[in-house]
Amino acid sequence: MAEKELAATAIRWFDENARDLPWREPDVGAWAILVSEVMLQQTPVVRVLPAWRAWLARWPVPAALAADPPAEAIRMWGRLGYPRRALRLRECAVAIVERHGGQVPTQLDELLALPGVGTYTARAVAAFAYGQRHPVVDTNVRRLVARAVAGEPDAGPATRPADLVATAELLPVEPARAARASAAFMELGALVCVARAPRCVDCPLASMCAWRASGRTAPVGPTRRPQRYAGTDRQVRGMLLAVLRETTGPVHRDRLDLVWDDDAQRARALAGLVDDGLVEPVGEAYVLAGDRHLADRRIPGPRLAAGPEAGVDPV
């Protein structure tokens, strides 16, 4: 298989079939791309789109977010799920202001040094915002490369250094072209070379795919065991956080006690929110992180709250 041919084919397909996503527009800056990459972690595009637009409308530059307390980031995150990402984004904005004059840095090592920015996110920003040549490897890319190059049905549960090397070898030499190839690999993995039912007949790489040539079949069942949500600490955390997010000022513990009737699980979930820096205790009440200045307000007593059936998202 010719590696340059694989990238060129993927790019041609991407040019004709890529989804029209706002963070792919040519005039979108590095901050907006960074926000999109953080939001897209473990979250479908359809849910990210309105949240991304609202976030950028309120905080179009890192300095705007850095000037607000963490509680505002948590509130703005809403039901997007995994709200620790909101805290990491704000910490990232503060670091960008303090270390880089409010501009998202261009160098990979500086991006990696930002709070909450890992291997994937740093390379994604470097490639998609600054047109640099870096292997951008997420679950979709790992699966695509494992199939097309190694002839394996899946790439395993986590990114390894070997995955970065294998993907880098497929990239064109010219940086902007390499960044385009990275986006194309990701899109193919997300839309065509999917985990359970790959659409090989629609794949532009089918004729050069080692897995397809081997005649092997996809694994039976999901490649990863789906995570249970109902009744877990994650659900209880989400319900507690929803009450705090929708309240301006401290919330008395008695009111939070109405959210979930398992005392031990509720206490464990609340303690987890505190340990994660999302919530702060104020006497017998609780506030979102950064809202301690509201503690002098009257603390409302208990009232009926949403029951276990209320829809919340993982935290």
Side-chain angles (χ1 to χ4, degrees):
M1 176 185 57
E3 294 165 354
K4 290 184 179 180
E5 180 186 355
L6 187 146
T9 302
I11 291 171
R12 284 195 298 271
W13 175 89
F14 184 73
D15 290 342
E16 296 179 0
N17 298 278
R19 288 169 290 181
D20 184 16
L21 301 176
W23 44 82
R24 289 177 175 167
E25 295 296 323
D27 59 343
V28 170
W31 170 243
I33 290 173
L34 173 58
V35 172
S36 75
E37 291 297 341
V38 173
M39 286 186 169
L40 286 165
Q41 296 166 12
Q42 304 182 71
T43 308
V45 167
V46 67
R47 295 185 60 199
V48 168
L49 282 167
W52 180 84
R53 290 189 176 99
W55 190 279
L56 271 297
R58 179 166 181 177
W59 297 306
V61 294
L65 176 57
D68 271 347
E72 291 307 304
I74 298 170
R75 287 193 177 92
M76 195 68 179
W77 198 258
R79 295 183 56 192
L80 198 57
Y82 303 98
R84 278 172 289 183
R85 292 180 294 171
L87 290 182
R88 299 294 85 80
L89 260 178
R90 184 186 173 276
E91 291 169 4
C92 192
V94 171
I96 290 171
V97 171
E98 293 178 348
R99 304 175 195 171
H100 305 287
Q103 301 299 314
V104 177
T106 61
Q107 299 304 306
L108 181 60
D109 59 345
E110 294 176 330
L111 287 165
L112 286 166
L114 294 174
V117 173
T119 297
Y120 165 77
T121 304
R123 285 170 170 77
V125 173
F128 303 147
Y130 296 121
Q132 297 177 11
R133 188 184 187 277
H134 295 290
V136 183
V137 181
D138 68 352
T139 300
N140 294 316
V141 173
R142 286 192 298 109
R143 182 171 59 251
L144 178 75
V145 174
R147 288 174 175 172
V149 179
E152 297 295 333
D154 199 12
T159 300
R160 304 162 299 169
D163 296 318
L164 295 174
V165 173
T167 305
E169 290 176 350
L170 300 174
L171 298 179
V173 174
E174 200 274 318
R177 183 89 172 158
R180 192 73 173 168
S182 290
F185 294 158
M186 193 174 302
E187 192 82 338
L188 271 171
L191 301 183
V192 178
C193 192
V194 295
R196 296 191 63 180
R199 296 164 45 206
C200 295
V201 295
D202 298 323
C203 182
L205 307 181
S207 64
M208 58 189 82
C209 177
W211 178 56
R212 183 174 171 84
S214 72
R216 299 177 188 177
T217 59
V220 177
T223 56
R224 298 184 186 182
R225 180 178 297 176
Q227 293 183 334
R228 183 173 63 91
Y229 179 65
T232 63
D233 285 4
R234 289 168 58 227
Q235 182 185 17
V236 182
R237 283 163 56 100
M239 296 172 68
L240 293 168
L241 196 63
V243 174
L244 290 159
R245 191 175 58 235
E246 295 163 8
T247 304
T248 301
V251 178
H252 197 279
R253 180 150 195 165
D254 287 346
R255 183 178 171 195
L256 294 176
D257 287 347
L258 298 173
V259 168
W260 193 259
D261 57 9
D262 185 325
D263 294 343
Q265 187 177 26
R266 186 181 62 251
R268 185 170 63 246
L270 185 57
L273 291 173
V274 173
D275 289 344
D276 288 342
L278 291 162
V279 172
E280 299 180 25
V282 181
E284 292 297 316
Y286 293 83
V287 296
L288 292 179
D291 267 358
R292 291 185 67 89
H293 64 286
L294 302 176
D296 58 347
R297 297 190 178 188
R298 182 178 66 85
I299 300 175
R303 65 174 176 82
L304 291 178
E309 71 281 0
V312 293
D313 289 285
V315 297

